[in-house]
Protein backbone atom coordinates (compact mmCIF):
# COMPACT_ATOMS: atom_id res chain seq x y z
CA UNK A 1 0.00 0.00 0.00
CA UNK A 2 1.35 3.39 -0.96
CA UNK A 3 -0.37 6.74 -0.44
CA UNK A 4 0.21 9.85 -2.50
CA UNK A 5 3.04 12.32 -2.07
CA UNK A 6 2.20 15.86 -3.14
CA UNK A 7 4.59 18.78 -2.84
CA UNK A 8 4.23 22.53 -3.26
CA UNK A 9 7.08 24.70 -4.40
CA UNK A 10 7.67 28.29 -5.32
CA UNK A 11 9.20 31.57 -4.36
CA UNK A 12 8.36 33.39 -1.15
CA UNK A 13 4.87 34.86 -1.02
CA UNK A 14 3.40 32.57 -3.70
CA UNK A 15 0.43 31.61 -1.50
CA UNK A 16 1.32 27.98 -0.84
CA UNK A 17 -0.38 27.76 2.57
CA UNK A 18 -3.82 28.63 1.22
CA UNK A 19 -3.51 26.02 -1.51
CA UNK A 20 -2.30 23.38 0.94
CA UNK A 21 -5.53 23.83 2.91
CA UNK A 22 -7.48 23.53 -0.32
CA UNK A 23 -5.72 20.33 -1.37
CA UNK A 24 -6.36 18.88 2.09
CA UNK A 25 -10.06 19.51 1.83
CA UNK A 26 -10.11 18.05 -1.70
CA UNK A 27 -8.91 14.69 -0.31
CA UNK A 28 -10.96 15.01 2.90
CA UNK A 29 -14.10 15.13 0.77
CA UNK A 30 -13.05 11.88 -0.87
CA UNK A 31 -12.81 10.31 2.59
CA UNK A 32 -9.05 9.77 2.33
CA UNK A 33 -6.61 10.22 5.20
CA UNK A 34 -4.52 13.30 4.52
CA UNK A 35 -1.68 14.86 6.48
CA UNK A 36 0.38 17.96 5.79
CA UNK A 37 3.92 18.75 6.71
CA UNK A 38 6.70 21.13 5.71
CA UNK A 39 10.38 21.48 4.92
CA UNK A 40 12.62 22.38 6.47
CA UNK A 41 10.81 20.80 9.42
CA UNK A 42 8.12 18.21 10.01
CA UNK A 43 9.87 16.34 12.85
CA UNK A 44 11.27 17.59 16.18
CA UNK A 45 14.88 17.34 14.95
CA UNK A 46 14.12 18.89 11.56
CA UNK A 47 12.26 21.79 13.20
CA UNK A 48 15.36 22.53 15.30
CA UNK A 49 17.43 22.59 12.11
CA UNK A 50 14.81 24.89 10.58
CA UNK A 51 15.32 27.39 13.41
CA UNK A 52 19.04 27.49 12.64
CA UNK A 53 18.43 27.87 8.89
CA UNK A 54 15.90 30.68 9.10
CA UNK A 55 17.38 32.64 12.00
CA UNK A 56 18.00 36.14 10.57
CA UNK A 57 20.99 36.46 12.92
CA UNK A 58 22.94 33.63 11.20
CA UNK A 59 24.33 35.86 8.48
CA UNK A 60 27.74 34.17 8.49
CA UNK A 61 26.28 30.81 7.38
CA UNK A 62 28.25 29.38 4.46
CA UNK A 63 26.29 28.19 1.41
CA UNK A 64 27.62 24.63 1.74
CA UNK A 65 26.69 24.52 5.43
CA UNK A 66 23.22 25.76 4.52
CA UNK A 67 22.81 23.10 1.83
CA UNK A 68 23.91 20.31 4.17
CA UNK A 69 21.55 21.39 6.96
CA UNK A 70 18.58 21.47 4.56
CA UNK A 71 19.58 17.98 3.42
CA UNK A 72 20.01 16.76 7.00
CA UNK A 73 16.56 18.05 7.97
CA UNK A 74 15.15 16.27 4.90
CA UNK A 75 16.92 12.96 5.64
CA UNK A 76 15.24 12.85 9.05
CA UNK A 77 11.84 13.99 7.74
CA UNK A 78 11.76 11.35 4.98
CA UNK A 79 12.66 8.51 7.32
CA UNK A 80 10.73 9.52 10.43
CA UNK A 81 7.58 10.99 8.92
CA UNK A 82 6.98 11.00 5.15
CA UNK A 83 7.82 7.45 4.16
CA UNK A 84 6.03 5.81 7.13
CA UNK A 85 2.91 7.90 6.41
CA UNK A 86 2.96 6.87 2.73
CA UNK A 87 3.42 3.24 3.71
CA UNK A 88 0.27 3.54 5.82
CA UNK A 89 -1.52 4.67 2.65
CA UNK A 90 -1.87 8.32 3.65
CA UNK A 91 -1.95 11.32 1.34
CA UNK A 92 1.05 13.45 2.33
CA UNK A 93 1.07 17.11 1.33
CA UNK A 94 4.45 18.74 1.86
CA UNK A 95 5.22 22.45 1.78
CA UNK A 96 8.55 22.30 -0.14
CA UNK A 97 10.82 19.29 -0.76
CA UNK A 98 14.02 18.52 -2.67
CA UNK A 99 13.16 20.86 -5.59
CA UNK A 100 13.59 23.75 -3.12
CA UNK A 101 17.19 22.70 -2.54
CA UNK A 102 17.85 22.55 -6.28
CA UNK A 103 16.23 25.95 -6.86
CA UNK A 104 17.63 27.78 -3.81
CA UNK A 105 20.99 26.09 -3.22
CA UNK A 106 22.03 24.78 -6.67
CA UNK A 107 20.73 27.79 -8.64
CA UNK A 108 20.30 30.56 -6.04
CA UNK A 109 23.61 29.87 -4.29
CA UNK A 110 25.39 28.53 -7.41
CA UNK A 111 26.34 25.24 -5.75
CA UNK A 112 25.56 23.23 -8.89
CA UNK A 113 25.44 19.42 -9.14
CA UNK A 114 26.68 18.87 -5.59
CA UNK A 115 23.18 19.64 -4.31
CA UNK A 116 21.40 16.85 -6.20
CA UNK A 117 24.14 14.41 -5.26
CA UNK A 118 23.97 15.14 -1.52
CA UNK A 119 20.20 15.13 -1.62
CA UNK A 120 20.05 11.71 -3.24
CA UNK A 121 21.18 10.40 0.17
CA UNK A 122 18.59 12.54 1.96
CA UNK A 123 15.57 11.45 -0.10
CA UNK A 124 16.65 7.81 -0.41
CA UNK A 125 14.76 7.31 -3.69
CA UNK A 126 11.55 9.02 -2.57
CA UNK A 127 10.08 11.49 -5.06
CA UNK A 128 6.67 13.23 -5.15
CA UNK A 129 3.82 11.89 -7.31
CA UNK A 130 3.03 15.46 -8.28
CA UNK A 131 4.58 18.86 -7.56
CA UNK A 132 2.84 22.20 -7.91
CA UNK A 133 5.23 25.03 -8.70
CA UNK A 134 3.46 28.19 -7.59
CA UNK A 135 5.15 30.64 -9.90
CA UNK A 136 5.12 34.33 -9.12
CA UNK A 137 7.34 37.20 -10.15
CA UNK A 138 9.84 37.57 -7.26
CA UNK A 139 9.08 41.29 -7.02
CA UNK A 140 5.39 40.64 -6.46
CA UNK A 141 6.19 37.79 -4.05
CA UNK A 142 8.41 40.06 -2.01
CA UNK A 143 5.71 42.70 -1.74
CA UNK A 144 3.27 40.08 -0.43
CA UNK A 145 5.77 38.77 2.15
CA UNK A 146 6.59 42.27 3.37
CA UNK A 147 2.92 42.74 4.27
CA UNK A 148 3.12 39.66 6.50
CA UNK A 149 5.84 40.93 8.86
CA UNK A 150 9.55 40.33 9.41
CA UNK A 151 11.73 38.66 6.78
CA UNK A 152 13.56 35.42 7.64
CA UNK A 153 17.19 34.84 6.55
CA UNK A 154 16.32 33.61 3.05
CA UNK A 155 13.63 36.20 2.46
CA UNK A 156 16.18 38.92 3.23
CA UNK A 157 18.19 37.95 0.14
CA UNK A 158 18.30 40.45 -2.71
CA UNK A 159 15.84 40.24 -5.60
CA UNK A 160 18.66 38.94 -7.80
CA UNK A 161 18.85 35.78 -5.72
CA UNK A 162 15.11 35.22 -6.03
CA UNK A 163 15.26 35.57 -9.81
CA UNK A 164 17.97 32.88 -9.86
CA UNK A 165 15.74 30.66 -7.72
CA UNK A 166 12.90 31.16 -10.17
CA UNK A 167 15.23 30.22 -13.04
CA UNK A 168 15.99 27.02 -11.13
CA UNK A 169 12.33 26.13 -10.86
CA UNK A 170 11.87 26.90 -14.55
CA UNK A 171 14.68 24.49 -15.44
CA UNK A 172 13.29 21.79 -13.12
CA UNK A 173 9.81 22.16 -14.64
CA UNK A 174 11.24 21.77 -18.14
CA UNK A 175 13.20 18.66 -17.10
CA UNK A 176 10.24 17.05 -15.29
CA UNK A 177 7.08 17.98 -17.22
CA UNK A 178 5.19 14.88 -16.04
CA UNK A 179 5.69 15.60 -12.35
CA UNK A 180 6.04 19.38 -12.00
CA UNK A 181 3.00 21.48 -12.89
CA UNK A 182 3.48 25.22 -13.16
CA UNK A 183 0.68 27.17 -11.53
CA UNK A 184 0.31 30.88 -12.25
CA UNK A 185 0.28 32.21 -8.69
CA UNK A 186 -0.50 35.76 -9.78
CA UNK A 187 -4.11 34.68 -10.49
CA UNK A 188 -7.00 35.02 -8.02
CA UNK A 189 -7.02 32.40 -5.24
CA UNK A 190 -10.17 30.66 -6.53
CA UNK A 191 -8.73 30.33 -10.02
CA UNK A 192 -5.49 28.88 -8.63
CA UNK A 193 -7.47 26.34 -6.59
CA UNK A 194 -9.38 25.29 -9.70
CA UNK A 195 -6.19 24.92 -11.74
CA UNK A 196 -4.75 22.65 -9.05
CA UNK A 197 -7.94 20.59 -8.70
CA UNK A 198 -7.91 19.75 -12.40
CA UNK A 199 -4.49 18.15 -11.98
CA UNK A 200 -5.59 16.39 -8.79
CA UNK A 201 -8.68 14.89 -10.47
CA UNK A 202 -6.47 13.56 -13.21
CA UNK A 203 -3.97 12.14 -10.71
CA UNK A 204 -6.75 10.43 -8.75
CA UNK A 205 -8.14 8.87 -11.93
CA UNK A 206 -4.68 7.61 -12.82
CA UNK A 207 -4.18 6.11 -9.34
CA UNK A 208 -7.70 4.72 -9.10
CA UNK A 209 -8.63 6.87 -6.07
P1 LIG B 1 9.35 29.06 4.82
O1 LIG B 1 8.93 29.91 5.92
O2 LIG B 1 8.81 27.68 4.72
O3 LIG B 1 9.17 29.87 3.49
P2 LIG B 1 7.91 29.89 2.56
O4 LIG B 1 6.78 30.36 3.40
O5 LIG B 1 8.31 30.84 1.49
O6 LIG B 1 7.76 28.47 2.08
O7 LIG B 1 10.93 29.01 4.83
C1 LIG B 1 11.64 28.17 4.09
C2 LIG B 1 12.74 28.94 3.42
O8 LIG B 1 13.82 28.04 3.19
C3 LIG B 1 12.32 29.49 2.08
O9 LIG B 1 12.88 30.77 1.90
C4 LIG B 1 12.96 28.55 1.09
C5 LIG B 1 14.16 28.03 1.82
N1 LIG B 1 14.54 26.65 1.47
C6 LIG B 1 15.78 26.41 0.87
O10 LIG B 1 16.53 27.35 0.60
N2 LIG B 1 16.15 25.14 0.59
C7 LIG B 1 15.36 24.07 0.89
O11 LIG B 1 15.74 22.89 0.61
C8 LIG B 1 14.09 24.31 1.52
C9 LIG B 1 13.19 23.18 1.88
C10 LIG B 1 13.73 25.62 1.79
Amino acid sequence: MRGLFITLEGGDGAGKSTQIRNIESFFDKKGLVVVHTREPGGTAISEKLRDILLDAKNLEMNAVTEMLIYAAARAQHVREFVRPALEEGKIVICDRFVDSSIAYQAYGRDLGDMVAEVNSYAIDGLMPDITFWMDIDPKEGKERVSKMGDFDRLEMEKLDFHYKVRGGYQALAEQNPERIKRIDASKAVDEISRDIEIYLEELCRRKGL
Side-chain angles (χ1 to χ4, degrees):
M1 179 131 138
R2 164 75 154 77
L4 273 183
F5 186 27
I6 298 167
T7 60
L8 279 90
E9 294 285 349
D12 301 313
K16 285 185 279 103
S17 314
T18 310
Q19 295 308 324
I20 286 170
R21 283 195 294 278
N22 191 55
I23 297 171
E24 252 188 307
S25 81
F26 174 93
F27 286 105
D28 260 347
K29 282 186 215 141
K30 288 187 182 287
L32 296 166
V33 182
V34 45
V35 290
H36 75 258
T37 183
R38 67 173 178 184
E39 288 207 348
T43 71
I45 292 169
S46 311
E47 289 288 333
K48 283 187 180 169
L49 295 172
R50 176 188 178 90
D51 290 343
I52 299 172
L53 286 163
L54 299 187
D55 189 338
K57 289 197 291 292
N58 286 340
L59 290 175
E60 71 275 37
M61 191 182 293
N62 179 268
V64 176
T65 312
E66 176 185 284
M67 185 272 290
L68 291 170
I69 302 177
Y70 277 114
R74 180 163 302 123
Q76 186 66 28
H77 187 221
V78 164
R79 289 160 178 81
E80 185 183 334
F81 184 82
V82 182
R83 178 163 282 143
L86 291 171
E87 279 167 3
E88 287 168 20
K90 291 178 181 157
I91 315 281
V92 179
I93 307 168
C94 191
D95 186 346
R96 299 189 179 281
F97 192 58
V98 66
D99 298 312
S100 280
S101 279
I102 305 298
Y104 282 77
Q105 280 68 52
Y107 283 81
R109 303 282 193 221
D110 297 309
L111 290 181
D113 294 344
M114 175 207 289
V115 181
E117 196 187 335
V118 166
N119 272 279
S120 69
Y121 298 100
I123 63 176
D124 193 26
L126 182 70
M127 280 304 277
D129 294 288
I130 195 165
T131 298
F132 295 109
W133 167 35
M134 308 278 295
D135 185 31
I136 192 162
D137 188 281
K139 222 168 138 218
E140 199 183 323
K142 198 161 188 169
E143 278 160 21
R144 290 196 195 172
V145 173
S146 68
K147 289 193 190 118
M148 296 190 282
D150 292 340
F151 289 123
D152 67 38
R153 195 175 57 84
L154 277 286
E155 285 163 354
M156 280 163 30
E157 283 293 331
K158 292 192 192 63
L159 220 42
D160 247 26
F161 172 79
H162 293 286
Y163 278 103
K164 284 197 329 203
V165 170
R166 189 193 203 188
Y169 279 124
Q170 181 72 53
L172 280 166
E174 280 162 19
Q175 289 154 17
N176 303 276
E178 286 297 310
R179 174 175 66 87
I180 303 180
K181 309 298 179 193
R182 180 186 173 274
I183 302 293
D184 180 353
S186 67
K187 287 187 181 176
V189 175
D190 288 356
E191 272 182 85
I192 298 174
S193 302
R194 226 170 307 129
D195 291 347
I196 290 178
E197 279 172 25
I198 291 168
Y199 286 118
L200 292 179
E201 292 287 5
E202 201 243 329
L203 178 66
C204 287
R205 266 198 304 277
R206 207 158 18 101
K207 299 277 179 183
L209 291 169

